[in-house]
Amino acid sequence: MADVQSLARGENRPAPLDASGSITVSVTGAAVDVSALLLTAAGRVRSDQDLVFFNNPVGPGVRYAPDGVTVDTRGVPAEIETVAITASLDGSGPATFGGVPLRATVGSELDFPMTGLTTETAVVGVEIYRRGDGWKVRAVGQGYDDGLAGIATAFGITVDEPEPEPAAAPPAQPEPPQPVPQQSVPQQPDYPQPAPPVRQEGLAVRSELFAPSNAEVQGNGILKQGSKMARVAMNGEVMARSGSMVAYQGDLRFEAQGSGGIGNMIRRTVTGEGVPLMKVSGRGDLFLANAAQDVHIIDLDGSDGLTINGSNVLAFDTSLSYRIGRVQGAAASSNAGLFNCVFTGRGRIAITTDGQPVVLTVDQPTFADPQAAVAWSSSLQTSVKSNDQLNFGTLIGRSTGERFTLQFSGQGFVVVQPSELPPGGLIAGTGGGQQAGVGGALGGLLGR
């Protein structure tokens, strides 16, 4: 075996391809996700599909694996001049690359120690590029403070989801509730009453199960079915949490959707946040639930939006869109990954809480455990407050969420559940004020 030779930043060498024309690049020294970008001569991707990573593991001539990225030069399209190999922190290790002995290994003959990194959370390690009829390796070592999202943006991928176009008309729904005043606890809207139970001729069964309260509710769109289930009267499409279907009637089709677009997939790579979605389409009745949690219905009127912890989202109308946002300053305070889903548009969303929540009117500084805050209005400014002086981090049995508190100020509301351990995902915030991009004027909050 040939001796391993080290590359200096900016140095290039002939690519040490194997007999099949392939080469594998791995990155060690920290817990990272390796990815690759297929770039044209202009240094840009052709489309989002030219980003190869764990949510999009196969591209033309490029294949992702947990131990690195393999480039088969024979399969790389002619218009692709460069394959850039990147690495981004996966959130389970250090907060930045500062002081980390990061190293890229190229094939079995070359390695590149990436020194001098400080506040960066992602790096373009090496490039595999064409030179005449052959291929070469260039040591790059260019760091980015804003993670894989920053690298993707630099090479032509739009990470932030576009602002939704105003909806022409709301989806078919029951009579909408009145808007909620910003500083008062919202009133409960009047949702349709359950229909009488269906009685079959000759049925020789008697039980309280057949009480009207357990019968299927009637109405269109997303409705509450009791306190822990949602019923969706389907005649089109709805987005729902993957695995939340407990029953359905009629002709329905289910299609996995990932976390909602390439931008949200990139952000979820670093944040762990997002909603694993499925699109349900067809005509019939769909019943959804999640771990017997309490279900609540919220109507957005199209002028504002709502920030929600991704683990509390159950279903929403396709007229709504969402992106993943981060609380301002969270990265400097914690490596916990304070992120949430920001919903905008006009339509209805079903959320879950672990127990009966409280809706706090915020007209003075308000604080909540980041594992208990479920949703809040964008009229609030949010920040992360360290509780180290109270030694919260030393409490037995708490590995996350005790050393930091979400602080809310301004005028609006915060929904807090009586539990610090929601299923799945990390809780977080979004930027305060205009950075948040969400609102507090909702058509109904926690409707029943």
Side-chain angles (χ1 to χ4, degrees), residues 354-440:
D354 190 3
Q356 182 66 29
V358 60
V359 181
L360 300 178
T361 299
V362 180
D363 52 11
Q364 58 184 317
T366 300
F367 304 86
D369 188 300
Q371 296 280 46
V374 172
W376 56 87
S377 59
S378 68
S379 55
L380 300 177
Q381 294 180 333
T382 61
S383 59
V384 177
K385 179 178 182 295
S386 174
N387 295 317
D388 284 342
Q389 69 273 22
L390 301 179
N391 292 320
F392 279 5
T394 64
L395 292 180
I396 296 175
R398 300 297 182 188
S399 60
T400 61
E402 298 294 349
R403 295 180 56 207
F404 300 95
T405 301
L406 290 181
Q407 178 175 350
F408 304 90
S409 59
Q411 302 290 325
F413 66 86
V414 178
V415 181
V416 180
Q417 66 182 5
S419 171
E420 298 179 355
L421 299 174
L426 297 173
I427 298 270
T430 184
Q434 294 180 351
Q435 284 83 8
V438 293

Side-chain angles (χ1 to χ4, degrees), residues 116-178:
L117 298 175
T118 55
T119 61
E120 296 88 346
T121 58
V123 62
V124 177
V126 299
E127 294 177 344
I128 311 298
Y129 66 99
R130 296 181 189 272
R131 179 61 66 188
D133 295 332
W135 291 82
K136 300 190 74 174
V137 176
R138 178 185 294 115
V140 180
Q142 174 65 51
Y144 291 77
D145 286 346
D146 43 0
L148 180 58
I151 292 178
T153 300
F155 290 106
I157 293 177
T158 301
V159 172
D160 290 326
E161 297 296 323
E163 292 297 322
E165 296 293 331
Q173 297 178 6
E175 185 69 23
Q178 295 297 315

Side-chain angles (χ1 to χ4, degrees), residues 283-379:
R283 185 179 181 89
D285 295 326
L286 173 66
F287 296 88
L288 304 170
N290 187 24
Q293 291 192 308
D294 293 336
V295 173
H296 311 278
I297 305 295
I298 300 175
D299 287 290
L300 277 68
D301 62 12
S303 62
D304 299 300
L306 183 69
T307 300
I308 308 173
N309 168 27
S311 67
N312 293 90
V313 176
L314 182 63
F316 56 94
D317 289 326
T318 54
S319 58
L320 296 176
S321 60
Y322 87 94
R323 61 182 177 84
I324 298 174
R326 182 180 68 188
V327 68
Q328 297 273 309
S333 302
S334 168
N335 194 34
L338 296 181
F339 295 83
N340 270 74
C341 298
V342 182
F343 283 84
T344 54
R346 187 176 184 178
R348 174 165 290 187
I349 183 169
I351 70 170
T352 59
T353 61
D354 190 3
Q356 182 66 29
V358 60
V359 181
L360 300 178
T361 299
V362 180
D363 52 11
Q364 58 184 317
T366 300
F367 304 86
D369 188 300
Q371 296 280 46
V374 172
W376 56 87
S377 59
S378 68
S379 55

Side-chain angles (χ1 to χ4, degrees), residues 27-180:
V27 179
T28 58
V32 297
D33 288 318
V34 181
S35 57
L37 291 136
L38 282 72
L39 308 176
T40 65
R44 311 279 285 183
V45 297
R46 300 167 300 176
S47 71
D48 291 350
Q49 294 305 307
D50 282 343
L51 172 62
V52 178
F53 67 129
F54 73 85
N55 265 331
N56 183 41
V58 178
V62 180
R63 184 177 70 258
Y64 163 86
D67 58 348
V69 172
T70 298
V71 179
D72 180 358
T73 58
R74 298 172 304 177
V76 176
E79 64 268 30
I80 297 300
E81 293 286 330
T82 302
V83 179
I85 311 299
T86 76
S88 54
L89 290 169
D90 68 3
S92 65
T96 71
F97 284 134
V100 175
L102 205 62
R103 182 178 300 271
T105 301
V106 184
S108 59
E109 300 178 16
L110 300 175
D111 79 337
F112 171 39
M114 291 176 276
T115 59
L117 298 175
T118 55
T119 61
E120 296 88 346
T121 58
V123 62
V124 177
V126 299
E127 294 177 344
I128 311 298
Y129 66 99
R130 296 181 189 272
R131 179 61 66 188
D133 295 332
W135 291 82
K136 300 190 74 174
V137 176
R138 178 185 294 115
V140 180
Q142 174 65 51
Y144 291 77
D145 286 346
D146 43 0
L148 180 58
I151 292 178
T153 300
F155 290 106
I157 293 177
T158 301
V159 172
D160 290 326
E161 297 296 323
E163 292 297 322
E165 296 293 331
Q173 297 178 6
E175 185 69 23
Q178 295 297 315
V180 178

